[in-house]
Amino acid sequence: FYQYYPYDTCWGPMHWGHAKTKDFIRWEFLPAALAPDREYDGQGCFSGSALEEETEEGKRQILLYTGVRETDENGVHRVFQTQCVAVGDGLDYVKSGHNPVILPDLLPEGSVRQEFRDPKIWKEGSQFFAILGNKTTEDCGQIALFSSKDVENWKFEGILDRGEKGQGKM
């Protein structure tokens, strides 16, 4: 998977491209896995991660990504970053009807809700987990942990680590 804007050589709403290979030399480029086509991700399907899971029906891939939406209300530009899920078979992906599945409203007090991105998903037993980058109101980075039984309903578990002043904002 990789991020790109397929319609121009300049910046635009991010898509998830994907390709496959058997030898890491010759690549077959596949149709875009994710495109910004919903209100919650209209300005981009940004970074995230993928998980392959074995189910009774076979293998499925779960994509957890940052959806970006921007608004201009009364002259104020606002950016909303939420976490979204798409599930597919390695070629075609369908966005969850529950998207966005992780909202910044779950973050504790002192967290900047507009800086909430870059999810990493994994599974332990029957439980899914995700960590996300976030910024505190003191301009320090922090890592938030979430859990889910079904990848559509997530619970905030806590802050795993927090940076200190001068170490960067994210």
Side-chain angles (χ1 to χ4, degrees):
F1 296 103
Y2 56 94
Q3 292 183 304
Y4 77 123
Y5 179 57
Y7 306 112
D8 204 340
T9 56
C10 63
W11 184 267
M14 284 298 113
H15 292 56
W16 274 37
H18 72 305
K20 67 180 183 177
T21 184
K22 290 184 179 187
D23 61 11
F24 291 95
I25 296 170
R26 291 175 293 278
W27 291 84
E28 178 185 348
F29 290 91
L30 303 169
L34 295 172
D37 60 358
R38 307 293 164 89
E39 182 180 349
Y40 56 79
D41 66 10
Q43 277 70 50
C45 298
F46 281 85
S47 64
S49 59
L51 170 71
E52 190 166 81
E53 178 186 38
E54 188 73 43
T55 68
E56 292 176 7
E57 295 82 33
K59 289 183 182 178
R60 72 176 185 161
Q61 290 181 348
I62 301 166
L63 309 182
L64 183 62
Y65 70 97
T66 301
V68 175
R69 176 173 66 98
E70 296 180 26
T71 63
D72 286 305
E73 299 169 6
N74 302 324
V76 176
H77 183 76
R78 297 188 61 194
V79 176
F80 299 90
Q81 295 178 343
T82 57
Q83 308 316 306
C84 307
V85 167
V87 177
D89 59 7
L91 182 61
D92 298 307
Y93 296 87
V94 176
K95 294 177 184 178
S96 170
H98 293 92
N99 279 341
V101 296
I102 308 177
L103 298 169
D105 300 352
L106 297 172
L107 293 167
E109 188 174 326
S111 302
V112 176
R113 307 255 185 287
Q114 293 77 20
E115 302 284 349
F116 180 59
R117 59 182 176 266
D118 308 326
K120 167 65 175 129
I121 187 172
W122 74 95
K123 187 175 183 184
E124 292 181 25
S126 62
Q127 188 85 2
F128 295 92
F129 294 93
I131 54 173
L132 285 120
N134 182 234
K135 183 170 88 169
T136 68
T137 53
E138 291 90 30
D139 277 344
C140 298
Q142 63 183 7
I143 302 170
L145 175 66
F146 296 85
S147 67
S148 175
K149 294 187 185 307
D150 61 8
V151 303
E152 293 184 329
N153 299 286
W154 292 84
K155 175 181 155 192
F156 174 73
E157 295 292 343
I159 299 297
L160 292 181
D161 200 6
R162 182 175 285 121
E164 299 174 11
K165 282 269 193 201
Q167 291 181 323
K169 295 181 180 181
M170 288 289 289

